[in-house]
Amino acid sequence: MALERTLSIIKPDAVQKNVIGRILMRFEASGLKIVAARMTRLSRAEAEGFYAVHRGRPFYRDLVEFMTSGPVLVQVLEGEGAIAKNRELMGATDPKQAAKDTIRAEFATTIDANAVHGSDSADTARTEIDFFFKPGEIFTR
Ligand code: CMP
């Protein structure tokens, strides 16, 4: 398996629930390293830009609304097969479909307030990491 990086966001609902640490612990326990992290509140323009691929979808407006509703923690995770591993840890997008013991099964409430975001492919991961971090802000150990 290849050493990969993926972008992860702890969304406003999970930050509000005070479960940042419990989510980060899952990443580390699975062998992923947090090589960059920042707390921020997305502007409307940032949320629209980040989710531009979903523009025109019926849920786009609510998604942007939700993602700008409070602070988020954005991080880069690094490890063998990091993209798939993070998606496995997160569980299905809709928490009702998420497998037991996944982050979304435990912490998410609705498909919008679904606790975390994770890149879905190597191409997306590169674009999403570049969206939030400069190369000098990522620290491989
Ligand atoms: P995320 O992984 O952040 O990527 C896009 C987000 O849109 C997704 O998680 C959900 O929170 C939200 N969303 C709302 N409705 C849908 C839907 N029907 N399909 C996919 N994503 C949706």
Side-chain angles (χ1 to χ4, degrees), residues 46-60 63-64 117 120 124 127-128 131:
E46 283 173 323
E48 287 177 350
F50 183 77
Y51 282 118
V53 62
H54 295 303
R55 206 184 296 267
R57 306 278 292 275
F59 58 84
Y60 181 69
L63 174 62
V64 169
H117 166 83
D120 64 3
T124 314
T127 312
E128 292 185 349
F131 188 91

Side-chain angles (χ1 to χ4, degrees), residues 11 51 54 57 59 63 67 93 104 111-114 116-118:
K11 295 190 179 187
Y51 282 118
H54 295 303
R57 306 278 292 275
F59 58 84
L63 174 62
M67 289 301 289
T93 306
R104 283 167 172 157
I111 196 165
D112 282 315
N114 66 348
V116 278
H117 166 83

Side-chain angles (χ1 to χ4, degrees), residues 3 5 15 22 25 34 38 56 80 82 84 92 102 112 118 127-128 134:
L3 186 69
R5 286 176 177 172
V15 173
R22 289 166 70 186
M25 211 187 311
I34 299 157
R38 181 165 79 247
E80 294 291 320
T102 58
D112 282 315
T127 312
E128 292 185 349
K134 299 188 190 84

Side-chain angles (χ1 to χ4, degrees), residues 15 20 37-41 71-74:
V15 173
I20 290 174
R38 181 165 79 247
M39 185 174 268
T40 184
R41 182 164 182 168
V72 296
L73 196 81
V74 189

Side-chain angles (χ1 to χ4, degrees), residues 42-94:
L42 300 182
S43 65
R44 174 163 295 274
E46 283 173 323
E48 287 177 350
F50 183 77
Y51 282 118
V53 62
H54 295 303
R55 206 184 296 267
R57 306 278 292 275
F59 58 84
Y60 181 69
R61 212 185 130 108
D62 285 348
L63 174 62
V64 169
E65 209 53 53
F66 176 67
M67 289 301 289
T68 56
S69 67
V72 296
L73 196 81
V74 189
Q75 53 276 323
V76 178
L77 307 177
E78 185 181 82
E80 294 291 320
I83 297 163
K85 191 179 271 187
N86 181 39
R87 292 183 71 74
E88 202 182 308
L89 291 170
M90 290 192 299
T93 306
D94 183 349

